[in-house]
Amino acid sequence: MTSPYGFEGRVAIVTGASRGIGLAVAEAFVAAGARVCVTARDADGLARAVARLGDAVGLAGTVADPAHLRRLTELAMDEYGRIDVVVNNAATNQPYGPLMDADPDRWREAFTVNVEAPLRLTQHAWRAWMREHGGSVVNVCTEGATHVGPRLGAYGTSKAALLHLTQQLAGELAPGVRVNSVSPGLVRTEMARFVWDRPAQEPAADLPLGRMGEPEDIARAVLWLTSDEAQWITGTDLLVDGGTRVRRAHEPTP
C-alpha cells in the first residue's frame, strides 16, 4: 500500500497486529514512513508480521495484562524514543451467545480487552511522550456498536463503551492529543470468518458498495485520521462499512 501522508520520523504502536486489520494498519504506517511497535498474543504470528513489516519491533502478549502494556510502551520508547500514534485494535468477541447464558467472568474479560486495555495503553503513551509532545489515538470500534445484534451482546456493549471512552478522552486530552475511532462494518478477517465464510451466501452482496471490506480499507481510514490532514478532527467516529447503515435505514419496517 502506498500513502500520500508523510509519517517520516514518527512512531506508531498498533495492537492486535499479527494479522487482519492490525497488520494492515501497521503496514500502512510503514509504507507512509513511520516506524511501528506491534503486539499480539500469537508469538509466531507476530514474529512473521515484524519480519514482513521491516522497520518494526514486536512484543508478544495479551493486552489484558497491564504489565504487558507497560512493557510495550517502554519498548517503543527504548527503541525509537517517541510515540506519536496509538492504534487500539486488539479485541475479543467472546463470550458469543445470548447474554442470559454468558459467564460473568467472560463478560468481564470482554471489557478488560476491549475497553480497559485501550485506556491503559493511552495512559502509558500519554505519560511517556504525548503529554509533552502531542499525538493521535485511534480506537477500532465496530459498526454494530450502535444497534442490537444477535449473539454479540458482550462485544457490542463493550465497543459502545469504547466509543464513549473515545469521546471522553478526546475532551480530556485536547488540544495536544487527538482521539478518534474507526468503526468497521463486515471485514474479511479471521475474527469475522464465522459471518462471511458461508459458501452458499454472499453476506455483502446487498451492500450499496457491493462488497465486504478488506483490512486495507480500514487501514486507510486509520492512516488518514492520524495524519496531519485530519488535524482539526477529534472525538469523531469514522464509519467504514460499505454502506451497511445506509442499507439498514432503507430496510422496510415489519
Side-chain angles (χ1 to χ4, degrees):
M1 179 189 301
T2 59
S3 170
Y5 311 117
F7 279 82
E8 290 80 6
R10 301 185 190 182
V11 175
I13 292 178
V14 184
T15 68
S18 63
R19 63 187 188 184
I21 291 173
L23 179 55
V25 167
E27 288 181 317
F29 278 119
V30 171
R35 294 165 293 177
V36 295
C37 180
V38 293
T39 186
R41 291 177 298 172
D42 178 4
D44 292 338
L46 186 67
R48 289 191 294 270
V50 169
R52 175 172 168 173
L53 289 165
D55 200 351
V57 293
L59 182 68
T62 172
V63 297
D65 178 8
H68 173 68
L69 297 175
R70 184 184 66 251
R71 291 193 297 269
L72 181 68
T73 307
E74 291 170 349
L75 175 63
M77 292 301 295
D78 290 345
E79 291 290 328
Y80 299 131
R82 60 190 296 159
I83 301 170
D84 301 282
V85 176
V86 169
V87 180
N88 288 302
N89 170 69
T92 178
N93 60 7
Q94 299 299 314
Y96 180 77
L99 290 184
M100 291 302 96
D101 298 332
D103 181 333
D105 290 333
R106 299 294 303 281
W107 164 270
R108 190 175 300 113
E109 181 181 348
F111 280 81
T112 299
V113 172
N114 296 350
V115 187
E116 181 181 319
L119 173 59
R120 286 185 181 273
L121 184 54
T122 302
Q123 288 176 332
H124 286 309
W126 165 262
R127 293 163 184 163
W129 178 263
M130 291 184 175
R131 173 164 47 192
E132 299 298 326
H133 305 279
S136 181
V137 176
V138 168
N139 297 320
V140 179
C141 294
T142 176
E143 183 273 335
T146 60
H147 60 87
V148 175
R151 297 178 294 281
L152 286 169
Y155 180 69
T157 304
S158 63
K159 288 295 189 175
L162 183 58
L163 282 175
H164 186 85
L165 177 65
T166 298
Q167 295 176 345
Q168 182 69 33
L169 291 178
E172 291 189 10
L173 304 188
V177 177
R178 297 186 299 108
V179 186
N180 294 289
S181 59
V182 169
S183 285
L186 179 59
V187 177
R188 198 185 308 273
T189 65
E190 284 300 313
M191 187 173 179
R193 179 177 287 276
F194 71 100
V195 178
W196 58 261
D197 192 10
R198 300 175 181 177
Q201 177 183 3
E202 171 49 63
D206 60 344
L207 287 180
L209 294 187
R211 65 171 178 87
M212 76 173 68
E214 301 294 340
E216 292 76 16
D217 292 311
I218 312 306
R220 284 188 285 269
V222 172
L223 196 69
W224 177 74
L225 266 182
T226 56
S227 76
D228 290 343
E229 297 298 311
Q231 61 184 292
W232 206 51
I233 299 175
T234 196
T236 290
D237 180 51
L238 179 57
L239 188 64
V240 187
D241 69 346
T244 300
R245 200 165 294 178
V246 174
R247 179 192 65 184
R248 186 174 294 116
H250 287 83
E251 289 176 347
T253 302

